[in-house]
C-alpha cells in the first residue's frame, strides 16, 4: 500500500523510560532482544514466518501475513512504544509500522534510502554529498582508510531530527583486504571530529528521523570523507560492554532513549585514552578452535570478550565471516602485546589462518 509522503502525525512521547519495543525481522542469533530486556523493555519479534518467531529471547511475537493493518493492530494491543528494524530486510516494514503507530522512523516511501547501497549513491549525489568511488587499475592511489560510524537520531524540539555520532571505529586490513582489527577512536582525535561533522548531512539526505544508523565511511586526506554505505539497524558486537566501560556510551540504552523524552542527567564519559580494539579472526579452512581457542584467549589480561562460538555457543543462523576478540585497557602497550598474541595464537595453527 502506497503511503503519501506527508508529515506524519507524531504521538506524544511516553513519560516512562521503559516500554515495549517491536523488533522487525530480527536476525537469527541477534543479541538485541537480550540487550533491550536487560534494560527493562519488553520485546516483541515481528516477522513474516511463524517458524522464525516465538523464540525464548522475545517476550511476544507477531507474524506479519501481509496485512499492515492487522500487524499494527496487534502491536497496538501489546502496547508497543518503540519500533526497531532487526535487519536490513526489516527496515521497510519497520518504517511502515512506525508511521502508522504515529512514531515515525522515516518516510516509508524512502525506506530503501536507509538500507540499499545502490539507491543511496544517487540520493546523496543529488544532495551534493560525496560517496565512495573505489580505486581501480594498477595506477590508482592506494585504497582510502575505512571507518565505521555509529549514530542515533531523534526528533528535536522544532520537529527536525537531531543526529548524534556516538562512536567511530577505524578499520585495519591486510594487503588482500581481509579485516584484521577495528580500533575505537578517541573522541578528541581530529578524524573523529571530521567524520562526526560529515554524518548529519548524510543522515538528513537519507531521511533518517529517529533511531540508529551504522555507516561505513572512506576517508583520505585528498578527497575527505565519502559514504560507502549506511544501514538503519542498531549495531551489535561483543565489544558493546567494553565500549560502555571505556566511554560511558550504552548502545542499546541510547537506541531506546530515542523513543523517550530526553533526561536531564548525562552519562559520565569514560576515562580519556581507554582503548577498545576488536580483533577479527577469519573463519573457514576447516580450522580447529571453538571453545579451546576461546579458553586460551580469555586468559590474556586485556581480553574482555570473545564471539559466542569461541565459548561453544554458536547462535543458530550465525554465518558471520569473522570471529571477534575484544581487547580493552588504558595501557596501549598492553593492548598491542595482547593483539600480537591473539594473532600469533590464531596464525600458529589453532585457527588455521594464513599469516599476513
Amino acid at each position: 500500500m502506497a503511503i503519501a509522503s506527508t508529515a506524519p502525525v507524531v504521538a506524544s512521547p511516553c513519560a516512562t523510560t521503559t516500554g515495549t519495543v517491536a523488533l522487525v525481522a530480527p536476525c537469527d542469533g541477534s543479541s538485541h532482544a537480550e540487550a533491550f530486556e536487560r534494560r527493562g523493555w519488553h520485546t516483541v519479534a515481528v516477522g513474516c514466518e511463524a517458524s522464525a518467531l516465538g523464540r525464548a529471547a522475545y517476550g511476544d511475537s507477531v507474524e506479519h501475513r501481509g496485512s499492515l493493518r492487522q500487524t499494527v493492530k496487534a502491536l497496538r494491543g501489546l502496547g508497543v512504544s518503540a519500533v526497531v528494524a532487526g535487519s536490513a530486510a526489516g527496515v521497510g516494514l519497520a518504517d511502515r509500522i512506525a508511521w502508522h503507530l504515529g512514531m515515525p522512523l522515516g518516510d516509508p516511501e524512502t525506506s530503501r534510502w536507509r538500507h540499499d547501497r545502490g539507491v543511496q549513491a544517487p540520493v546523496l549525489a543529488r544532495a551534493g554529498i560525496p560517496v565512495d568511488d573505489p580505486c581501480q587499475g594498477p595506477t590508482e592511489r592506494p585504497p582510502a582508510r575505512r571507518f565505521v560510524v555509529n549514530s542515533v537520531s531523534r526528533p528535536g524540539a522544532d520537529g527536525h531530527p537531531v543526529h548524534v555520532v556516538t562512536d567511530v571505529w577505524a578499520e585495519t586490513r591486510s594487503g588482500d583486504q581481509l579485516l584484521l582489527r577495528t580500533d575505537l577512536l578517541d573522541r578528541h582525535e581530529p578524524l573523529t571530529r571530521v567524520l562526526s561533522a560529515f554524518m548529519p548531512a548524510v543522515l538528513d539526505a537519507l531521511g533518517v528521523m529517529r533511531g540508529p544508523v551504522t555507516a561505513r565511511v572512506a576517508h583520505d586526506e585528498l578527497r575527505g570523507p565519502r559514504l560507502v554505505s549506511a544501514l538503519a539497524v542498531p549495531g551489535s558486537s561483543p565489544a558493546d560492554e567494553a565500549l560502555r566501560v571505556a566511554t560511558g556510551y550504552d548502545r542499546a540504552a541510547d537506541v531506546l532513549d530515542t523513543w523517550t523524552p530526553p533526561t536531564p542527567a548525562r552519562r559520565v564519559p569514560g576515562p580519556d585514552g581507554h582503548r577498545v580494539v576488536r580483533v577479527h579472526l577469519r573463519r573457514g579452512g576447516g580450522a580447529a578452535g571453538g571453545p579451546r581457542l576461546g579458553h586460551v584467549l580469555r586468559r590474556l589480561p586485556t581480553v574482555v570478550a570473545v564471539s559466542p562460538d569461541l565459548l561453544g555457543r554458536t547462535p543458530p543462523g550465525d554465518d558471520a565471516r569473522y570471529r571477534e576478540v575484544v581487547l580493552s585497557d588504558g595501557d596501549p602497550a598492553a593492548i598491542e602485546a595482547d593483539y600480537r598474541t591473539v594473532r600469533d595464537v590464531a596464525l600458529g595453527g589453532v585457527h588455521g589462518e594464513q599469516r599476513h
Side-chain angles (χ1 to χ4, degrees):
M1 178 179 69
I3 301 174
S5 299
T6 56
V9 177
V10 181
S12 300
C14 302
T16 62
T17 57
T18 60
T20 298
V21 55
L23 281 160
V24 182
C27 293
D28 282 340
S30 168
S31 62
H32 295 139
E34 292 87 343
F36 294 156
E37 292 274 4
R38 284 196 299 270
R39 285 148 187 86
W41 283 69
H42 184 70
T43 56
V44 180
V46 181
C48 297
E49 297 181 6
S51 61
L53 299 176
R55 293 183 294 271
Y58 302 93
D60 280 298
S61 62
V62 170
E63 183 180 359
H64 177 65
R65 302 188 180 190
S67 170
L68 184 61
R69 183 178 66 85
Q70 291 295 330
T71 299
V72 170
K73 180 181 178 180
L75 294 175
R76 278 203 182 102
L78 291 170
V80 165
S81 53
V83 181
V84 176
S87 64
V91 171
L93 180 57
D95 280 348
R96 298 197 300 274
I97 289 171
W99 193 274
H100 281 273
L101 287 173
M103 306 179 295
L105 291 164
D107 186 341
E109 292 288 339
T110 63
S111 289
R112 290 182 64 193
W113 296 4
R114 293 177 288 282
H115 71 90
D116 188 328
R117 180 179 179 180
V119 173
Q120 289 168 358
V123 167
L124 294 176
R126 289 195 296 270
I129 298 172
V131 296
D132 186 44
D133 181 16
C135 303
Q136 295 181 355
T139 63
E140 293 288 348
R141 64 179 64 87
R145 294 184 67 190
R146 293 294 182 95
F147 300 86
V148 177
V149 184
N150 292 302
S151 64
V152 290
S153 305
R154 66 181 304 149
D158 59 358
H160 295 289
V162 176
H163 310 298
V164 177
V165 170
T166 57
D167 49 301
V168 179
W169 303 76
E171 293 184 347
T172 299
R173 292 178 177 268
S174 65
D176 52 0
Q177 292 303 297
L178 288 176
L179 185 59
L180 300 179
R181 62 188 278 174
T182 309
D183 289 53
L184 177 67
L185 294 187
D186 188 276
R187 64 185 182 276
H188 299 303
E189 289 191 32
L191 267 176
T192 303
R193 295 195 294 269
V194 168
L195 297 173
S196 296
F198 171 71
M199 284 306 300
V202 172
L203 298 170
D204 280 339
L206 297 179
V208 176
M209 296 180 181
R210 187 196 307 262
V213 169
T214 296
R216 297 191 176 275
V217 180
H219 180 275
D220 60 45
E221 294 300 325
L222 181 63
R223 294 182 292 174
R226 305 176 310 283
L227 186 76
V228 177
S229 64
L231 179 61
V233 174
S236 178
S237 90
D240 286 349
E241 177 60 18
L243 176 67
R244 187 192 65 77
V245 172
T247 67
Y249 171 65
D250 185 322
R251 191 181 306 287
D254 273 25
V255 168
L256 296 171
D257 282 351
T258 65
W259 296 93
T260 60
T263 57
R266 297 181 63 85
R267 291 185 178 86
V268 178
D272 288 340
H274 196 105
R275 300 185 62 195
V276 181
V277 176
R278 298 163 60 187
V279 186
H280 306 282
L281 304 176
R282 184 169 59 92
R283 286 177 169 173
R292 182 165 66 92
L293 178 60
H295 180 71
V296 171
L297 297 179
R298 290 284 296 187
R299 293 178 177 177
L300 298 175
T302 72
V303 171
V304 295
V306 299
S307 294
D309 66 331
L310 291 175
L311 298 175
R313 301 196 304 264
T314 305
D318 180 11
D319 59 355
R321 185 182 181 189
Y322 295 97
R323 292 165 168 160
E324 189 170 307
V325 179
V326 182
L327 314 178
S328 182
D329 200 87
D331 181 359
I335 288 278
E336 295 306 317
D338 281 357
Y339 172 74
R340 290 190 295 270
T341 301
V342 169
R343 299 220 69 88
D344 286 345
V345 169
L347 300 176
V350 178
H351 193 68
E353 293 187 347
Q354 297 295 318
R355 185 174 295 276
H356 300 297

